[in-house]
Amino acid sequence: MIRLFQVKCANENEIEAQILKKLRIRKEDLLQWHVHRKSVDARHQKVLFSYVVDCKVKNEKKLLKLKDVSLTPDETYHPVTSGTHTLLARPVVVGFGPAGMFAALILAQSGYKPIVLERGSKVDVRKQKVETFWENGQLDEECNVQFGEGGAGAFSDGKLTTRSKDSLCRKVLEELVSFGAKSDILIDQHPHIGTDAFLAIIRNCREEIKRLGGTFCFDTKLEDIKVENGTLKQIYFNQQWVDCNALILATGHSASDTILMLHQHGIHVENKPFAVGVRIEHKQKYINEAMLHEYSQDERLIPARYQLTYTASNSKGVYTFCMCPGGYVIPSSCQKDQLVVNGMSYASRSGENANSALLVQINDSDYGNELFAGLKYQEDLEKKAFKMGRDYKACVQLAKDYLENKISNQFESVLPTYSIGTTFCDLNDLFSKEVNLALHEALEHFEKKVPGFVSNGAILSAVESRSSSSVRLVRDKESYVSNIQGIYPSGEGSGYAGGIMTSAIDGIRSAEHLIEYFAKDKLLNVNK
């Protein structure tokens, strides 16, 4: 089978004709075809859809010489072979966000019957607790937007876009479809699921892992570990010590208490760059018009999205991240008296507003070289935002007023979607001089590039501070094992991913490395 790129046409019913034209073959020589990837090409004042198509043809070898043609790669998932080292007991996965989900799934599919520890609740209970917080500011520190079944990605836009070319992308997408995601995610250039649809997928994934012999312990935190001669021997949870020498650590980027506990036992941790900033909120109608121009009413293209970057004069990178078309700015705190905002969309993306994170890169020039200094910087910023906003109300300011260093006194064309309430603040008082400089310059640049981006009533909400982890749990590049034998740091919280797809892929890789080291046939106490 061959893969044909750059098949461009205005409608799907034109695809076959374009295939025949590009390959210069007759219809009878095209035995079958299907779309592998679909994207939009609107660069030349005309909207076309660009397809990557897999084709079964006659005289395949001859056609491989043509432009935009290659052999279709094998994207079938091939399980790894079990190792030979003895497991004391069933492997444990800590955390059930995207990394933990897919680590546990691969272990279960390979017959390893994992135990999953999740400090938060099942997704249905978690949804109720999150909605309670959104309605009245009553925060559960163990189950919230950051903690619980599905991880932080469960309350997001469910974006599956990634720059990764890893062959495991297909495995992740196919599994998500098997758990209930629409098959469109297999071909869309910018696939997404949406918060409401993602919750059912998470539930179905859990049930499949259980069917394959996995066990779940919800509302259960990893509290302690025992290490002997550099090797993990036991873990402590639910008031009991349990034998364990194979543990995948997929805690997410907000489990600082767990990371500090592991550090006390000698696991190697290092600071890493992260980002802080705001959510910027516009009318979705404005974004459609600004991005699509004469195509702003085209149902095939809306709601429109954007991605913007800028390098400030102080060398700090500024970028939009996790843009949520037709979405909402949401309360996302996981610790008392600390304010965090984030964004999400439902599957329909039908909300009146669009929002995106607007982030500034932060590194040791901002927080110093002391270990966990970045974590302290992050938490101090969230505490300061909480005091300014009061009772989990978002700190807000019109973008144009932020540039003029004045506190806003009323909203204009855009009304905030943040549910708990808002407090007008001067965000220049929240951020450091360097962060403010970068944000100011970026907003001025974006206004020139996309007229109205600032001046059309845009609202800034703060503080967006949990886009990635401020630390990395050091692991071996080849084996994925930390300096404590048996612990496999994985996913975004360990500093090795950023988003649903890369976290899921990292979870798979972590599980594969565990499988390649430990022998399945020597599992003990598999029914405990």
Side-chain angles (χ1 to χ4, degrees), residues 69 385 450:
V69 178
V450 186

Side-chain angles (χ1 to χ4, degrees), residues 30 52 110 146 177 237 284 297 310 317 335 337 348 351 449:
L30 180 63
V52 178
S110 300
Q146 309 294 346
V177 170
F237 64 92
Q284 182 64 53
Q297 304 289 330
Y310 178 75
Q335 292 162 301
D337 302 337
S348 66
K449 190 171 184 178

Side-chain angles (χ1 to χ4, degrees), residues 236-277:
Y236 187 77
F237 64 92
N238 285 346
Q239 299 182 319
Q240 60 180 334
W241 284 102
V242 175
D243 289 345
C244 177
N245 65 331
L247 181 146
I248 292 177
L249 198 67
T251 60
H253 55 47
S254 294
S256 56
D257 51 354
T258 301
I259 292 170
L260 290 169
M261 178 272 291
L262 292 166
H263 175 62
Q264 290 175 352
H265 285 282
I267 199 167
H268 288 171
V269 184
E270 62 186 17
N271 293 331
K272 63 175 282 292
F274 58 103
V276 301

Side-chain angles (χ1 to χ4, degrees), residues 291-361:
M291 297 295 116
L292 300 173
H293 307 292
E294 64 267 33
Y295 295 98
S296 63
Q297 304 289 330
D298 193 325
E299 292 294 332
R300 300 173 301 170
L301 305 177
I302 59 174
R305 63 180 70 85
Y306 62 84
Q307 185 174 357
L308 300 167
T309 61
Y310 178 75
T311 301
S313 60
N314 59 4
S315 299
K316 285 196 171 295
V318 185
Y319 57 97
T320 59
F321 174 77
C322 187
M323 192 267 163
C324 298
Y328 303 84
V329 177
I330 60 172
S332 300
S333 301
C334 65
Q335 292 162 301
K336 295 236 187 243
D337 302 337
Q338 292 177 215
L339 176 62
V340 180
V341 304
N342 202 347
M344 76 168 202
S345 296
Y346 293 110
S348 66
R349 287 179 163 175
S350 59
E352 188 172 344
N353 288 1
N355 72 79
S356 174
L358 180 59
L359 299 175
V360 179
Q361 293 173 335

